[in-house]
Amino acid sequence: MEEKFAKPAIGAIIERMINGKKHIIIQERWKENGNKTNGQYELPAGKMREYENAYDTVRREVFEETGLKVTKILGEEEMIYSKDLETINFMPFCVTQNLKNAYSIICNHFICEAEGEPVLGTNESRNIRWIEIHELAKLLRNQRDKFFIMNINALEKYLELNNL
């Protein structure tokens, strides 16, 4: 029997203060094989490449999907790098594992900051925009099914952290 394994992925909750209010980036999912998930709201995210460190994956995926340059990743300064073993430890904000449907994936979500302005869309996403977190909380409460399942737990935890 062939063993199958969950794919590791990274998701980014990108924060920015705009006019004194906290915002994050959301986008509409648009993947080649996205099927019914296309059009759902999601965070920038993607799979880790072989031997790519988690923080480099955050930076790469955020840039590929939004055009933004990550300037800070919460917890990165506490990373321990073992040069002799070529390993790191890292502490994501939240980890979500898909237990059924679609494909088996484990997504490590990080909170970060980035500079620049988002592109309008990429080959994997559309309508990339900043959303004020109070508006996000209402949208998630009232239209939960419009969000990509792998991001819901992380977003709810993030909103709870912000007392929403």
Side-chain angles (χ1 to χ4, degrees), residues 5-10 47-48 96 103-108 150:
F5 299 93
K7 294 174 176 66
I10 297 293
K47 295 178 194 81
M48 292 178 74
T96 304
Y103 50 88
S104 182
I105 192 164
I106 298 174
C107 190
N108 299 274
M150 292 303 293

Side-chain angles (χ1 to χ4, degrees), residues 18-73:
I18 301 173
N19 297 324
K21 295 181 179 181
K22 192 179 286 188
H23 289 67
I24 69 164
I25 283 278
I26 62 169
Q27 58 195 27
E28 291 174 16
R29 183 177 174 82
W30 205 262
K31 309 283 185 192
E32 185 176 308
N33 58 353
N35 302 322
K36 67 179 182 178
T37 66
N38 279 343
Q40 290 182 326
Y41 300 120
E42 70 170 356
L43 297 169
K47 295 178 194 81
M48 292 178 74
R49 293 179 177 159
E50 187 173 24
Y51 300 115
E52 182 177 43
N53 104 30
Y55 301 105
D56 290 343
T57 305
V58 171
R59 288 181 177 86
R60 177 181 56 77
E61 283 293 338
V62 167
F63 183 76
E64 286 176 3
E65 293 200 9
T66 68
L68 298 172
K69 180 181 176 189
V70 171
T71 57
K72 180 181 179 182
I73 302 171

Side-chain angles (χ1 to χ4, degrees), residues 36 88 100 108 136:
K36 67 179 182 178
I88 65 168
K100 189 177 179 183
N108 299 274
L136 173 69

